[in-house]
Amino acid sequence: MNKIDFFIFSIITSLAMGCSHKNNDATKENNIKTISVSIEPQRWILEQIGGDKLNVVSLLPGDANPENFDPPMSSLKSATESSLYMRMGNLPWEKSLIERITGSNPEVKVIDTSEGISLIYGTHEHSHNHSHDNDGIDPHTWSSVKNAKIIASNMFNAIVETDSVNKEYYTCRFKLLIHKLDSLDNEFTERLLPIKGKSILVWHPSLSYFARDYGINQISLGMENKETTPKGLQKQMEMAASHNPIAFFVEPQMAGTKSETVEEQSGAKRLVIQPLAYDWWNEMEKITNFLTETIN
């Protein structure tokens, strides 16, 4: 462990001990607040800040498709009964859900956890009329450690405003999370430096922000999980081959025969990832570890 790593470790350890102490000293009578979020990675981030003071409900199941999700009545009910609804920001179904939520309960406060993030455009194709506010925006803002810090900051500001009684507790846990994210980002930057400028294949463009963070070129073979025709796939494969991709990332619902063909023809080793998994930290490390293995 070098001096910088030891310094960061010392800060994180001190903050963790401080947060634990504040939690023990907190008032015993605490009304647990329920907050709804759109997806599981958001739930993971918010729970790092809220600890045992919040009950966080995710509206989108981890195995669902965020592109064409149609929120059921149970999701609407959960969001309507929450103190806050923290939208991811640019998922296609969020706008209609918000209209339904505020229509049922105008008192529910809605915040955009992606506010302040530099958005990426053009990774998703749309066959419909370009009239929606989030048209052309890549919604996968959570696939980035740098973005996670912004998301966490937006969440922290919102819950402190909602529950000022526990501000000290939230502040301690928030600072601890930011230090951990800074450390993770620094680690990834160092480990991924040897592959800067190289290309990766993805079936669906879910790693755009991760790729941008570390100077990696993302090549998408399929758009919005739609079936790609054999001719279209071959065209994409020829384009991808010219970039000598070092890895191929695919989501579980698309890890079938076609993805096996892509792996075989491209020569890029395949990894199944779950961008919507609750354990956001583990997924980010899994992606980085896999990429690191390609250069060893």
Side-chain angles (χ1 to χ4, degrees):
M1 181 182 293
N2 59 39
K3 290 182 178 179
I4 295 177
D5 289 337
F6 179 76
F7 178 70
I8 294 175
F9 175 78
S10 299
I11 292 176
I12 292 175
T13 302
S14 297
L15 282 170
M17 293 177 63
C19 289
S20 176
H21 176 71
K22 288 179 176 61
N23 186 26
N24 292 334
D25 290 345
T27 177
K28 292 182 179 180
E29 291 188 10
N30 177 52
N31 294 321
I32 304 299
K33 294 185 178 298
T34 296
I35 295 178
S36 292
V37 297
S38 292
I39 59 177
E40 286 288 274
Q42 278 180 294
R43 182 165 73 90
W44 183 89
I45 294 173
L46 184 54
E47 287 182 347
Q48 306 313 300
I49 304 170
D52 59 6
K53 306 298 181 189
L54 300 178
N55 174 39
V56 185
V57 178
S58 176
L59 304 184
L60 179 78
D63 58 351
N65 182 349
E67 305 289 341
N68 56 21
F69 179 61
D70 184 16
M73 285 302 297
S74 58
S75 295
L76 176 62
K77 185 175 185 294
S78 295
T80 302
E81 295 175 352
S82 299
S83 302
L84 288 170
Y85 167 46
M86 297 187 175
R87 62 181 293 188
M88 188 63 257
N90 299 288
L91 294 173
W93 51 270
E94 288 180 317
K95 185 176 180 181
S96 60
L97 178 62
I98 291 170
E99 292 173 350
R100 293 165 65 190
I101 292 171
T102 55
S104 299
N105 183 4
E107 299 300 317
V108 176
K109 183 177 180 180
V110 179
I111 73 156
D112 181 351
T113 60
S114 286
E115 186 175 349
I117 290 175
S118 177
L119 299 172
I120 293 175
Y121 293 79
T123 60
H124 290 58
E125 290 180 349
H126 296 268
S127 59
H128 55 268
N129 190 305
H130 291 256
S131 59
H132 295 85
D133 293 339
N134 65 342
D135 240 3
I137 296 175
D138 189 314
H140 305 92
T141 50
W142 65 92
S143 66
S144 157
V145 181
K146 290 179 172 61
N147 287 353
K149 291 194 292 183
I150 297 175
I151 292 168
S153 180
N154 289 331
M155 289 178 164
F156 169 72
N157 291 334
I159 61 175
V160 165
E161 184 177 337
T162 302
D163 183 17
S164 59
V165 173
N166 291 303
K167 180 178 180 178
E168 187 177 4
Y169 175 73
Y170 296 138
T171 299
C172 187
R173 294 182 63 93
F174 170 69
K175 287 181 178 179
L176 175 60
L177 175 60
I178 294 300
H179 278 294
K180 286 182 176 179
L181 292 174
D182 280 335
S183 180
L184 189 67
D185 187 27
N186 290 335
E187 176 195 337
F188 285 3
T189 298
E190 181 178 348
R191 293 178 62 193
L192 296 175
L193 186 60
I195 67 169
K196 187 175 183 179
K198 295 186 181 296
S199 298
I200 60 172
L201 293 180
V202 293
W203 193 273
H204 179 71
S206 58
L207 297 178
S208 307
Y209 294 91
F210 176 89
R212 180 178 69 180
D213 284 352
Y214 307 111
I216 300 169
N217 180 33
Q218 175 187 254
I219 301 172
S220 176
L221 297 176
M223 294 294 188
E224 298 190 346
N225 301 339
K226 296 174 183 176
E227 283 296 322
T228 304
T229 64
K231 184 177 180 179
L233 179 58
Q234 185 59 40
K235 184 178 180 180
Q236 287 289 80
M237 280 300 305
E238 291 173 0
M239 182 273 292
S242 67
H243 290 274
N244 299 314
I246 61 173
F248 174 37
F249 296 99
V250 61
E251 294 167 38
Q253 64 269 31
M254 293 169 278
T257 304
K258 282 188 177 181
S259 69
E260 292 173 356
T261 301
V262 171
E263 180 181 20
E264 186 177 309
Q265 293 186 11
S266 68
K269 190 176 179 182
R270 181 181 59 156
L271 178 69
V272 177
I273 60 173
Q274 296 179 296
L276 288 168
Y278 168 76
D279 193 349
W280 172 88
W281 184 284
N282 183 61
E283 282 298 306
M284 299 300 290
E285 285 196 318
K286 183 170 74 172
I287 292 167
T288 300
N289 289 341
F290 187 74
L291 288 172
T292 302
E293 291 170 5
T294 66
I295 57 176
N296 293 330

